[in-house]
Amino acid sequence: MSLTIWHNPRCTKSRETLELLRSRGIEPTIREYLKQPPSKAEVETLIGQLGGDPTALIRDGEPEFKKLGKKKANLSRADIAKVIAAAPILLQRPVVVSGKRAVIGRPPEAVLALVK
């Protein structure tokens, strides 16, 4: 099984999710998205892999989001991809991807749905 974690090592939930995977014997590919920012197309793909409400992928409590002067609920899928590509700190983390599916690791145990 090949998993990729979109990881921020400064984030507690991201570290907990990585440790949870490792405790299950899974060593995911680690993508530090702040060092390797995603393109708009990559974020659009990620939104599709997550399914559901695309606004779940954006962190609206960050100062970078507040500068936009917009409400999360009013952002389209394309807006979300553009905003995250421009300011990757706004990506909800961690995100774990397996094939065509992805899950946000909040709580970390949510990612276990990908490894069953």
Side-chain angles (χ1 to χ4, degrees):
M1 170 181 305
S2 175
L3 293 179
T4 299
I5 183 171
W6 291 51
H7 181 60
N8 178 348
R10 295 184 62 203
C11 171
T12 301
K13 293 295 182 200
S14 195
R15 290 191 312 268
E16 289 174 359
T17 300
L18 181 56
E19 284 306 311
L20 177 64
L21 292 171
R22 286 177 171 162
S23 75
R24 298 273 204 269
I26 300 165
E27 185 58 43
T29 300
I30 298 172
R31 172 149 184 196
E32 288 190 41
Y33 62 88
L34 294 176
K35 291 181 180 177
Q36 299 173 309
S39 67
K40 182 178 180 237
E42 286 178 302
V43 178
E44 287 172 343
T45 297
L46 197 57
I47 290 169
Q49 291 170 316
L50 286 167
D53 181 5
T55 63
L57 195 58
I58 197 161
R59 296 175 56 86
D60 61 352
E62 299 288 336
E64 289 83 351
F65 186 82
K66 303 238 187 274
K67 289 178 191 175
L68 296 174
K70 297 184 179 189
K71 293 187 182 209
K72 184 163 118 169
N74 294 338
L75 295 175
S76 70
R77 186 177 170 139
D79 291 336
I80 291 167
K82 182 178 174 183
V83 166
I84 291 173
I89 193 71
L90 297 178
L91 178 71
Q92 186 60 268
R93 71 241 179 193
V95 177
V96 176
V97 179
S98 176
K100 295 181 179 186
R101 295 179 44 218
V103 173
I104 296 172
R106 288 188 173 266
E109 294 78 18
V111 303
L112 295 178
L114 292 176
V115 299
K116 291 183 178 179

